[in-house]
Amino acid sequence: MATCPECDYDEVDTEDMEEGDTISCPECGKNLVVSGPDEVDFAADDLDDDDDDEEEEEEEEEEDDDLDDDDEEEVEEDVDE
């Protein structure tokens, strides 16, 4: 048995698995890869997903900032008229 690095669930069954095999944690659902006897680590695709989430959040923040700037310009134009 291995322990999930995300939720510390300590009954991840790695019996009959070889190094490099992937498995999902039965407790939290994270994708894991067998890295040794009774050892698991985050699967590469799960790490990529985390990066994508961070990039999406940054893009959303930038879009919100752009919208705020547009609103301010409209207000300034109304005042000038």
Side-chain angles (χ1 to χ4, degrees):
M1 296 286 173
T3 302
C4 175
E6 175 72 15
C7 68
D8 294 326
Y9 181 71
D10 62 355
E11 295 182 22
V12 178
D13 186 10
T14 56
E15 190 175 334
D16 300 326
M17 299 191 84
E18 297 178 5
E19 188 171 329
D21 289 347
T22 57
I23 187 172
S24 292
C25 174
E27 186 70 18
C28 70
K30 274 289 195 191
N31 292 325
L32 306 171
V33 63
V34 177
S35 58
D38 294 330
E39 293 180 25
V40 293
D41 200 0
F42 295 112
D45 62 336
D46 238 20
L47 294 175
D48 291 343
D49 289 346
D50 291 342
D51 292 341
D52 291 344
D53 291 344
E54 290 173 8
E55 289 174 8
E56 288 175 9
E57 289 175 7
E58 290 174 4
E59 289 173 4
E60 288 175 4
E61 289 175 5
E62 289 174 5
E63 289 175 4
D64 288 345
D65 289 345
D66 290 344
L67 291 176
D68 291 342
D69 292 343
D70 291 343
D71 291 342
E72 290 174 8
E73 289 175 7
E74 288 178 16
V75 170
E76 290 174 9
E77 289 175 7
D78 290 342
V79 171
D80 291 340
E81 293 178 4

